[in-house]
Amino acid sequence: MNVHSCKLRDGMKRTAKRDDIIKASLDLIAEHGFHGAPIALIAEKAGVGAGTIYRYFDSKDVLIAELYRELEEEIVSTLQEGCQEEKSVRDRYIFMCRKLLEYLITHPLNFRFMEQYFNSPYGISLRRDKIIGKRDERNAFERLFEEGISRQVLKDLPVYVLAALTFSPIVSLVRDHTLGLINLDGDVIAKSIDACWDGIKR
Amino acid sequence: MNVHSCKLRDGMKRTAKRDDIIKASLDLIAEHGFHGAPIALIAEKAGVGAGTIYRYFDSKDVLIAELYRELEEEIVSTLQEGCQEEKSVRDRYIFMCRKLLEYLITHPLNFRFMEQYFNSPYGISLRRDKIIGKRDERNAFERLFEEGISRQVLKDLPVYVLAALTFSPIVSLVRDHTLGLINLDGDVIAKSIDACWDGIKR
DNA sequence: TAGAGGAGAATGAACGTTCACTCCTGCAAG
DNA sequence: CTTGCAGGAGTGAACGTTCATTCTCCTCTA
């Protein structure tokens, strides 16, 4: 397989057509999975020719990776805003969980895509990098966990256990909600988040 | 596409060759995903011709579904044995969680396959059937949850929330463990299960 | 008219599935 | 016992389809 560099300069990255392609990919992959999103369909949905996609992305893999990066950036910035550092660990935890849940529920396409991505070969190596620590940017949650442990309000468990106790149930509930299998109302959401807190608090 | 019935009678279902094919499929899918397990490779690994597989299974989908059914059966029967009904809800919960975790960790291939399966189109519809209730066989965990709610030792939450608070963290931890990203020792396992209990207990 | 941007047909690789064939076993006739 | 035969088991080359990627030609616009 030839490694060839993209012919586009950075300055032309942000075009309407490029965004159409990204959006079409998001829709199709979120709704039908990676298999249900062949290039031909993406091109049709984006209203461009199949070849055009390769003027903007070197390969389908690159397209998907870039889509992921954009979504991750959006989520991270959403999670970071509005968190008041002076509040207690518990209040901040509840606040951030609620915000995460709210974001995922109101952006079902983004959520479904991220799920596909994490459960694919792409996601595995990403996970590996994150946990092994090649990417050493501690995110807001990890910082909160570490603070909670040192203040002795959280159980003295590895951060990845606290993360598993928090994110996995949330993601699982949101998945079933967006698939229409269950219906998460405000009451259940609040109680579920409280339950997560009960799991990790000392 | 023609719908044709399988030509084999039930009596010949259990042959060594059939088991070779099932085993080869498990190994390849667990290790490399559905994409990394084309029929040609499965055949090679099983030591049979590609066509032979179709003497035992109508299609690759049927092969995968049957593999899933066998594994599910094994897990369910493993989980059910040895649970003492006279013990407290808490003790039974801890016991079953520990057993589940132990099974998943000692059968990484089975676990990896199940993960692939659940995160594929097959798994989605299965999930749908299970939650919507077409399959109304309450499993051991769900019965325990219902008992705990009615005895007021568990939070009064929908069973699917209690399930999410239990299985999702366990599965997440086992995944990272079998991928070699983390190392679950007995101490962390015990504490993690206790934390799950803290999350669901009233 | 030159040249970039775009379209979609062409290409080749990979896959699931089929099918014409061989091999093997058991058995009945001679 | 030998021979011939029937048919199930097994094979793998070949087929048709699908897909990502490339290529060629068209269409604007400057």
Side-chain angles (χ1 to χ4, degrees):
Chain A
M1 192 180 300
N2 264 334
V3 176
H4 61 280
S5 62
C6 186
K7 289 140 268 167
L8 301 170
R9 353 228 110 273
D10 285 1
M12 59 174 74
K13 273 190 114 182
R14 283 285 169 190
T15 70
K17 233 171 247 285
R18 200 199 93 105
D19 288 349
D20 289 346
I21 294 166
I22 286 270
K23 181 64 168 58
S25 306
L26 172 60
D27 289 358
L28 282 172
I29 293 174
E31 200 151 357
H32 302 109
F34 287 111
H35 295 111
I39 288 286
L41 253 189
I42 294 176
E44 190 188 341
K45 185 147 188 158
V48 303
T52 305
I53 292 178
Y54 289 85
R55 301 195 60 82
Y56 293 92
F57 305 97
D58 279 343
S59 70
K60 197 185 180 186
D61 280 3
V62 169
L63 162 59
I64 289 169
E66 223 150 305
L67 173 50
Y68 168 77
R69 229 187 315 271
E70 291 193 7
L71 292 183
E72 187 192 37
E73 198 177 329
E74 186 184 318
I75 291 183
V76 167
S77 74
T78 299
L79 275 190
Q80 276 173 346
E81 70 190 20
C83 187
Q84 300 157 298
E85 291 292 332
E86 70 277 10
K87 294 230 178 177
S88 72
V89 171
R90 178 178 189 281
D91 285 349
R92 274 179 283 160
Y93 180 83
I94 303 281
F95 177 83
M96 285 167 63
C97 282
R98 184 180 294 270
K99 204 147 181 194
L100 174 61
L101 237 153
E102 193 180 312
Y103 177 88
L104 295 179
I105 286 183
T106 55
H107 299 75
L109 291 182
N110 299 21
F111 171 72
R112 295 277 291 276
F113 171 82
M114 295 292 255
E115 272 247 277
Q116 306 270 358
Y117 189 84
F118 284 127
N119 293 312
S120 73
Y122 312 114
I124 300 290
S125 48
L126 182 74
R127 205 180 176 82
R128 176 162 281 125
D129 291 353
K130 275 198 174 168
I131 294 188
I132 301 299
K134 284 188 190 167
R135 310 159 120 242
D136 54 358
E137 13 107 347
R138 296 253 168 279
N139 65 39
F141 266 106
E142 286 178 20
R143 277 186 268 113
L144 185 61
F145 290 148
E146 281 161 3
E147 181 186 334
I149 293 172
S150 66
R151 292 198 185 204
Q152 309 209 356
V153 299
L154 291 183
K155 293 190 170 84
D156 188 19
L157 284 167
V159 169
Y160 59 74
V161 173
L162 301 183
L165 288 165
T166 300
F167 299 125
S168 315
I170 288 178
V171 165
S172 172
L173 288 174
V174 173
R175 181 202 299 129
D176 289 345
H177 177 86
T178 62
L179 288 176
L181 308 182
I182 64 176
N183 183 36
L184 289 180
D185 60 28
D187 184 51
V188 171
I189 289 178
K191 285 180 176 169
S192 300
I193 294 176
D194 285 344
C196 287
W197 170 257
D198 289 342
I200 67 170
K201 79 153 187 260
R202 193 181 264 255
Chain B
M1 193 179 299
N2 264 335
V3 175
H4 63 278
S5 62
C6 186
K7 289 141 267 167
L8 300 170
R9 351 229 109 274
D10 285 2
M12 61 175 72
K13 272 191 113 182
R14 284 286 168 188
T15 70
K17 230 169 250 286
R18 199 198 95 105
D19 288 348
D20 288 346
I21 294 166
I22 286 271
K23 182 64 168 58
S25 306
L26 173 60
D27 289 356
L28 283 172
I29 294 175
E31 199 152 355
H32 301 111
F34 287 112
H35 294 109
I39 288 285
L41 253 190
I42 294 176
E44 189 188 341
K45 184 148 190 158
V48 304
T52 306
I53 292 177
Y54 290 85
R55 303 195 59 80
Y56 293 91
F57 306 96
D58 279 344
S59 69
K60 196 185 180 186
D61 280 4
V62 168
L63 162 60
I64 289 169
E66 225 149 304
L67 173 51
Y68 168 77
R69 230 187 315 273
E70 291 191 10
L71 292 183
E72 187 193 36
E73 199 177 329
E74 186 184 317
I75 291 183
V76 167
S77 75
T78 299
L79 275 189
Q80 276 173 346
E81 70 192 20
C83 187
Q84 300 159 298
E85 291 293 331
E86 70 278 9
K87 294 230 176 175
S88 71
V89 171
R90 178 179 191 280
D91 285 349
R92 275 180 283 160
Y93 179 84
I94 303 281
F95 177 82
M96 285 167 64
C97 282
R98 182 180 294 272
K99 204 148 183 190
L100 174 60
L101 237 154
E102 192 179 314
Y103 177 89
L104 295 180
I105 285 183
T106 55
H107 298 75
L109 290 181
N110 299 20
F111 172 73
R112 295 277 291 274
F113 171 82
M114 294 293 253
E115 270 241 296
Q116 305 269 359
Y117 190 84
F118 284 128
N119 292 311
S120 73
Y122 314 112
I124 299 290
S125 49
L126 181 75
R127 206 179 175 82
R128 176 162 279 126
D129 292 354
K130 276 197 174 167
I131 294 188
I132 301 297
K134 284 185 188 167
R135 312 161 115 241
D136 53 0
E137 14 108 347
R138 295 256 166 280
N139 65 39
F141 266 106
E142 287 178 20
R143 277 186 268 111
L144 185 62
F145 289 148
E146 281 161 3
E147 182 187 333
I149 293 172
S150 65
R151 292 196 185 205
Q152 309 210 356
V153 299
L154 291 183
K155 293 190 171 83
D156 187 18
L157 282 168
V159 170
Y160 59 76
V161 173
L162 300 183
L165 289 165
T166 299
F167 299 124
S168 314
I170 288 179
V171 165
S172 173
L173 288 175
V174 173
R175 182 201 299 128
D176 289 345
H177 178 85
T178 61
L179 288 177
L181 307 184
I182 63 177
N183 182 36
L184 289 180
D185 60 28
D187 183 52
V188 170
I189 288 178
K191 284 180 177 169
S192 299
I193 294 176
D194 285 344
C196 287
W197 170 258
D198 290 341
I200 67 170
K201 78 152 187 261
R202 190 181 267 256

